[in-house]
Amino acid sequence: FGPPQSNILCFRHGTDGALMDAVRRDLVAEGRFYVTRTTLRGEAWLRLTVMNPFTDETDLTSLLDRVEALARTRRT
């Protein structure tokens, strides 16, 4: 890793925009993470803004693990 260029990260899990929307709703409802949604190049993306200087790699890994788990649950 290098020094961050921004505190905003846009990411996706797969290519299904409806799935991204559902995962976002689930994340926000759980209350542990807050992400927004944006459209880039006509596709839905999750958007994270990191404001807390104590956010670390463990926090981001936990978020991504939760996104994967919710996406798996939604697909079945």
Side-chain angles (χ1 to χ4, degrees):
F1 294 108
Q5 296 178 357
S6 175
N7 66 331
I8 298 171
L9 173 67
C10 294
F11 63 99
R12 292 172 55 89
H13 185 284
T15 59
D16 183 346
L19 177 61
M20 290 297 89
D21 290 340
V23 166
R24 181 196 171 277
R25 281 190 303 272
D26 292 346
L27 280 171
V28 172
E30 290 176 348
R32 183 166 175 213
F33 301 104
Y34 188 82
V35 296
T36 59
R37 179 207 188 272
T38 192
T39 302
L40 299 170
R41 298 182 298 273
E43 298 177 324
W45 289 72
L46 298 178
R47 183 177 185 266
L48 173 66
T49 304
V50 180
M51 300 299 292
N52 186 333
F54 297 109
T55 300
D56 62 19
E57 189 174 338
T58 303
D59 299 312
L60 299 178
T61 299
S62 295
L63 168 61
L64 296 178
D65 288 346
R66 192 64 192 134
V67 167
E68 288 180 348
L70 290 169
R72 264 193 315 275
T73 300
R74 286 283 183 167
R75 278 196 222 120
T76 57

